Amino acid sequence: GKFIGQTSTIAGPCDSWKRNLFVYLLTSCVEKGFPLIKKADYSFEPYMRTMNKVEPILIWPTIDEVLKSRSSMYSGIALHLKTVDKWEAYERQYLDIRKYLHKWTTNSDTPYKSKAGRSNLSSHTKTYTVTEDNFKTLKWFLLTSANISHQAWGKFKKYNLIDYDISSFEAGIFVAPELLNVPSNVNNHRQILVPTYGKDDPNDINFLSNDNKFKIGLRLPYDTPLVKYSANENPWAQPETSKYIQ
């Protein structure tokens, strides 16, 4: 499946190697795997994405997307990602996660065509979700205040030990179809979580007699299918974008 994270901050790595918290820690949480912290040389090759393994995907706006958003460069003031810093691990982290970066929209040149209706804004939401069928359905969805940072998710003390320091309280709403109390529970229909765009309900909210499923709509803030960065596209990040905001 795919594990998608979309936040407004990607903070420093877990350690001096390069390990990004989302890629090397949260993927293990989703997979219920051990060790909880993946090694720095862990490979997310297709042949490894079997069983309960997930492919990490980071949604982060490009420089072009921010500059074309409604508030232009000011939309990027609260977006925090460092590609270079005195601590070299920032650069190592960026070079490692770049291959997981995907654009905020599929219509950066024509944002008014966005399915989600949000492409001309640089979102400050933080969302995490898993899909096992390329967004036909969602396994679960988390809307939260938690960015990709040690403050939000914690910092491990020793390798391979579930021993963490968490320095901030975060709030969120976790949605999973089996946890929702809707009429389908009474009628023994299997509930599925379906992504919607620009609206709250899926196209067909009624019971589906042919496959015994009940669709529950969940509005995504970004467009799908997801689009990876091209070779000449760069994320809105510091210090590159400092020239736009003085």
Side-chain angles (χ1 to χ4, degrees), residues 1-242:
K2 300 178 187 293
F3 177 37
I4 302 97
Q6 175 267 312
T7 65
S8 59
T9 294
I10 300 177
C14 296
D15 52 27
S16 59
W17 285 100
K18 67 176 183 183
R19 289 186 288 183
N20 173 264
L21 188 145
F22 176 82
V23 174
Y24 292 90
L25 171 63
L26 296 188
T27 56
S28 292
C29 294
V30 170
E31 296 167 350
K32 302 177 183 178
F34 188 85
L36 192 58
I37 304 294
K38 291 180 171 70
K39 293 184 178 180
D41 60 354
Y42 185 88
S43 176
F44 290 90
E45 296 297 330
Y47 67 85
M48 298 188 71
R49 296 200 288 271
T50 57
M51 302 297 287
N52 65 332
K53 301 298 182 182
V54 293
E55 173 190 1
I57 291 177
L58 288 164
I59 296 179
W60 189 267
T62 65
I63 293 176
D64 187 59
E65 285 177 308
V66 171
L67 293 179
K68 289 181 178 179
S69 65
R70 181 172 297 175
S71 300
S72 187
M73 58 189 177
Y74 297 108
S75 293
I77 289 177
L79 295 173
H80 302 291
L81 166 64
K82 288 184 179 181
T83 57
V84 178
D85 189 75
K86 292 181 181 178
W87 187 31
E88 293 182 1
Y90 274 101
E91 183 175 3
R92 287 195 286 267
Q93 172 186 247
Y94 167 66
L95 294 175
D96 183 53
I97 67 173
R98 181 179 169 84
K99 55 181 170 290
Y100 306 122
L101 293 177
H102 287 65
K103 298 169 67 172
W104 169 253
T105 176
T106 57
N107 297 285
S108 58
D109 292 326
T110 54
Y112 58 88
K113 293 183 179 180
S114 164
K115 290 195 305 181
R118 293 287 300 275
S119 291
N120 60 345
L121 291 172
S122 188
S123 176
H124 200 62
T125 59
K126 294 89 176 166
T127 66
Y128 302 85
T129 190
V130 170
T131 178
E132 296 176 338
D133 51 16
N134 203 24
F135 290 101
K136 290 180 181 178
T137 62
L138 304 175
K139 187 174 182 180
W140 53 259
F141 184 88
L142 174 64
L143 173 67
T144 176
S145 61
N147 273 305
I148 299 174
S149 69
H150 301 146
Q151 291 78 10
W153 295 101
K155 187 174 183 179
F156 61 92
K157 293 180 180 179
K158 293 182 180 180
Y159 181 68
N160 278 1
L161 294 181
I162 306 176
D163 194 6
Y164 289 87
D165 286 325
I166 301 177
S167 57
S168 66
F169 290 96
E170 305 290 345
I173 301 173
F174 181 80
V175 182
E178 60 270 22
L179 301 178
L180 298 176
N181 184 18
V182 297
S184 65
N185 289 335
V186 178
N187 294 279
N188 296 319
H189 285 76
R190 188 166 72 89
Q191 299 171 176
I192 59 173
L193 205 58
V194 178
T196 63
Y197 306 90
K199 58 182 180 179
D200 296 324
D201 295 332
N203 293 329
D204 183 7
I205 197 64
N206 297 318
F207 295 115
L208 304 178
S209 58
N210 59 335
D211 55 9
N212 208 37
K213 295 176 183 177
F214 183 76
K215 292 182 180 180
I216 301 171
L218 191 142
R219 184 187 295 205
L220 288 182
Y222 45 81
D223 289 343
T224 62
L226 300 178
V227 179
K228 292 190 75 169
Y229 278 34
S230 65
N232 61 348
E233 289 178 320
N234 293 302
W236 182 270
Q238 295 75 41
E240 292 88 346
T241 58
S242 299

